[in-house]
Amino acid sequence: KTNLTLVRKRLCSAKFTIEMQEIGKESKTRILICYMKGRATDETLNEVKSRLKSLKIDTVLGAGYLRKCLDTKRKSLFTMVGQTERPDTFAAKLCEGKIGIIVDGTPFALVVPRLFIENFQTLDDYINRPYYATFMRLVRFLAFLISVFLPGIFVSIGLFHQEMIPDDMLYNIVLMESNTLFTLTLEALVIHFIYETVREAGLRMPKSIGHAVSIVGALVIGDAAVTAGLIGAPMLIIVALTAICSLVSSDLYQPIALLRIAFILIGGFSGLYGVVIGGAALIIRLASMTDYGVPFLAPVTPLKKAYLRDSVVRFATKKLG
């Protein structure tokens, strides 16, 4: 009721429709299906209802229990089921014609379908000026590319394409890497494993000491590893930059972490050619994803120029209507 009140406060419209269901044989958890009448398509609404009815489960203790039935792309790293903790964002998605699901006792709501481009958009973009909002979206998209491809590209260039590096920089890299015990590929994997371990420890520990453990662990382990000659300083810088960029789009952190490791292995075994082929395969995979009748890469594929006004580039408010 609290979540519904927060949404109703922002959508004082007769078109705002709510349908309640009970999910779970034992828990009898109440869920609310929210949508704007006339904006949400009947096909999407009926598909959501049918998938929820087909869910055979005893207990539903949170919104995460519903994802497996709402998302048909379970074998994919990416999902077309979004989530948000902000009532204003939830209301904005409903006005765009999406379906929202609120689960009793859960502080966040699910939204379907979710597009890939929405991972680089925030509600604050519509408060800032269009040119600054466009700049920040480009920064987020560039951060995504860096977090996925940079370690793999660095490993592939260092192992197979040294001629692409300037002589002075190549000399410094070779000098630092010659004192290490591992290859570039193994270095990258080891550092990423250490980073994920420290990050997980910081998340699971109490907040009062979690941040301190993460910072101290990163400083001590990183400095000791470079001093002992286990890893090279260039690789440590690459991983640090990659880790920061991966936090820019928090909703994509899980696929980014796995794709990063995949491209490190690809770059370590096949060089830049493998990285380029892997990137092309990733784009093809994203372009082939369709759920609820909506392509994951819309409005880029299929291309709809009218909707590009609010994609990576954000036009002025008068032109968005």
Side-chain angles (χ1 to χ4, degrees):
K1 291 182 180 180
T2 303
N3 293 334
L4 180 59
T5 303
L6 293 173
V7 179
R8 175 66 75 180
K9 184 179 179 180
R10 290 162 176 82
L11 288 178
C12 301
S13 172
K15 296 181 180 180
F16 180 41
T17 307
I18 304 165
E19 297 182 13
M20 189 179 73
Q21 292 185 7
E22 287 189 351
I23 303 293
K25 296 180 181 179
E26 303 295 337
S27 61
K28 302 294 183 181
T29 304
R30 293 176 297 175
I31 67 170
L32 300 179
I33 302 176
C34 308
Y35 60 94
M36 295 292 289
K37 204 175 268 188
R39 298 197 177 189
T41 61
D42 295 335
E43 293 79 4
T44 303
L45 181 60
N46 294 332
E47 183 66 21
V48 171
K49 292 180 180 179
S50 63
R51 292 185 186 184
L52 290 175
K53 289 181 180 179
S54 64
L55 180 61
K56 307 298 182 182
I57 189 171
D58 292 334
T59 57
V60 176
L61 304 179
Y65 286 70
L66 303 181
R67 280 202 167 196
K68 63 180 181 180
C69 72
L70 293 174
D71 190 8
T72 59
K73 308 298 180 182
R74 301 174 195 172
K75 296 182 180 180
S76 175
L77 296 178
F78 298 88
T79 177
M80 293 191 69
V81 180
Q83 69 179 37
T84 179
E85 297 179 355
R86 296 183 57 169
D88 48 1
T89 301
F90 184 76
K93 297 303 178 184
L94 296 184
C95 292
E96 293 176 1
K98 301 182 185 297
I99 310 296
I101 299 173
I102 301 177
V103 181
D104 189 19
T106 302
F108 60 87
L110 301 179
V111 180
V112 293
R114 182 178 179 85
L115 305 180
F116 179 73
I117 195 65
E118 292 180 332
N119 294 299
F120 310 104
Q121 300 173 347
T122 64
L123 198 65
D124 298 331
D125 293 343
Y126 303 94
I127 301 175
N128 300 320
R129 292 184 177 271
Y131 60 84
Y132 183 74
T134 300
F135 170 71
M136 291 309 302
R137 289 182 180 182
L138 292 174
V139 168
R140 297 184 196 112
F141 187 73
L142 180 61
F144 169 76
L145 296 178
I146 290 175
S147 59
V148 172
F149 293 103
L150 182 60
I153 292 176
F154 181 78
V155 169
S156 61
I157 291 178
L159 293 178
F160 298 98
H161 310 280
Q162 295 89 350
E163 67 278 0
M164 298 179 63
I165 306 177
D167 294 340
D168 296 338
M169 183 181 297
L170 179 62
Y171 174 77
N172 293 330
I173 293 176
V174 171
L175 184 63
M176 294 179 183
E177 295 295 335
S178 61
N179 298 323
T180 61
L181 301 176
F182 308 122
T183 62
L184 283 177
T185 304
L186 192 55
E187 269 188 42
L189 294 176
V190 169
I191 297 177
H192 277 93
F193 174 77
I194 295 175
Y195 165 72
E196 292 294 339
T197 304
V198 174
R199 177 180 177 274
E200 189 69 15
L203 290 175
R204 302 306 169 192
M205 296 187 70
K207 291 184 178 180
S208 57
I209 60 176
H211 297 294
V213 170
S214 299
I215 296 173
V216 173
L219 292 176
V220 173
I221 294 177
D223 181 69
V226 173
T227 304
L230 297 177
I231 58 177
M235 181 59 71
L236 189 62
I237 296 174
I238 293 294
V239 173
L241 177 61
T242 302
I244 294 174
C245 290
S246 63
L247 298 175
V248 174
S249 300
S250 57
D251 292 339
L252 290 176
Y253 184 83
Q254 295 180 10
I256 285 175
L258 298 178
L259 287 173
R260 185 189 309 145
I261 296 176
F263 279 104
I264 289 174
L265 295 175
I266 293 174
F269 285 105
S270 56
L272 278 178
Y273 303 104
V275 174
V276 172
I277 294 175
L282 176 62
I283 295 175
I284 293 173
R285 174 59 180 169
L286 294 178
S288 64
M289 289 179 58
T290 301
D291 206 1
Y292 299 97
V294 180
F296 189 44
L297 290 185
V300 179
T301 57
L303 182 62
K304 294 184 179 180
K305 295 182 179 180
Y307 295 103
L308 292 177
R309 295 175 296 180
D310 190 20
S311 55
V312 178
V313 178
R314 208 215 96 183
F315 283 27
T317 306
K318 294 181 179 180
K319 297 181 180 180
L320 294 179

